[in-house]
Amino acid sequence: KHFLFLFLLPCFCFALDKATIALVFDGKSWEENFFVSLVKEEIVDLLQHEFDVEFVSFIDDWSSRESAALLKEAMSDPQVNVVIPMGILASAAAVDQTELSKPVVLAYDIRLFLDSPYATTAHLPKNLIYFKGKSDFLGDLRLFDEVTHARKIAVIGDNSLLGMEAFPNIQRLI
């Protein structure tokens, strides 16, 4: 329910009794985070009838260079079947790759890593599994108006707002 991306976890021919999942963290503080515990539980629940699940951790030093190196190290590990970057830096390193040798499942909405919410995902590497959450900015504004009855609302954004299909309606509302 909370982690829709995990339903996309590839169940590609694990001809094994064990699935090894590499978690690539941005710094040591992430490793035993509550969110990480939930992700691990969901993966185990999802795969429990098929495989014994083992997690291996790759922990960087909060640098982009280290994140990219650890991502490559996790993908080159012959024991690893799937890689999940758990931090923003590690996720950005995965999105920036031209080729991913193993399935990489992003734990974040792909729109965080695109130039604009309307950018195409055609340039993303093969084997990158991601989700794109639904955005209903106009609906959110209407609800805000219903609840607050605000006289004026200021919206701060970039030029990508102008490309929204609902932008004329948003202008009328604000």
Side-chain angles (χ1 to χ4, degrees):
K1 170 178 157 181
H2 296 284
F3 306 105
L4 296 175
F5 70 92
L6 291 176
F7 288 113
L8 300 175
L9 191 67
C11 291
F12 61 93
C13 301
F14 282 110
L16 322 164
D17 292 329
K18 180 176 79 168
T20 302
I21 303 191
L23 302 174
V24 182
F25 295 98
D26 290 349
K28 183 79 175 148
S29 60
W30 263 94
E31 190 176 18
E32 291 307 321
N33 182 293
F34 178 70
F35 173 74
V36 174
S37 297
L38 289 174
V39 168
K40 287 180 175 180
E41 284 176 34
E42 185 158 333
I43 291 170
V44 169
D45 285 348
L46 182 66
L47 298 177
Q48 71 184 345
H49 299 294
E50 304 291 326
F51 314 101
D52 289 328
V53 178
E54 178 182 33
F55 295 96
V56 293
S57 296
F58 292 80
I59 303 169
D60 71 25
D61 62 359
W62 291 99
S63 73
S64 298
R65 181 177 298 165
E66 180 75 7
S67 293
L70 282 179
L71 185 74
K72 286 181 181 177
E73 185 180 330
M75 285 189 294
S76 65
D77 185 328
Q79 302 300 314
V80 170
N81 303 104
V82 176
V83 178
I84 302 176
M86 294 301 299
I88 294 285
L89 293 175
S91 296
V95 171
D96 287 342
Q97 299 297 309
T98 54
E99 189 175 314
L100 298 170
S101 59
K102 294 184 179 174
V104 175
V105 181
L106 290 186
Y108 296 92
D109 187 326
I110 190 65
R111 292 175 297 176
L112 291 173
F113 306 100
L114 301 176
D115 293 337
S116 147
Y118 309 101
T120 178
T121 55
H123 72 285
L124 296 174
K126 179 182 169 194
N127 282 339
L128 182 68
I129 296 106
Y130 59 88
F131 74 99
K132 183 176 178 184
K134 183 177 183 246
S135 176
D136 186 11
F137 189 62
L138 180 58
D140 292 344
L141 275 176
R142 284 187 177 131
L143 179 61
F144 182 78
D145 183 48
E146 246 179 70
V147 172
T148 65
H149 303 293
R151 294 171 111 188
K152 289 187 179 193
I153 299 173
V155 176
I156 300 171
D158 60 16
N159 287 339
S160 67
L161 287 174
L162 300 175
M164 291 177 67
E165 207 175 294
F167 189 72
N169 293 329
I170 291 169
Q171 280 183 305
R172 283 192 284 280
L173 187 61
I174 57 175

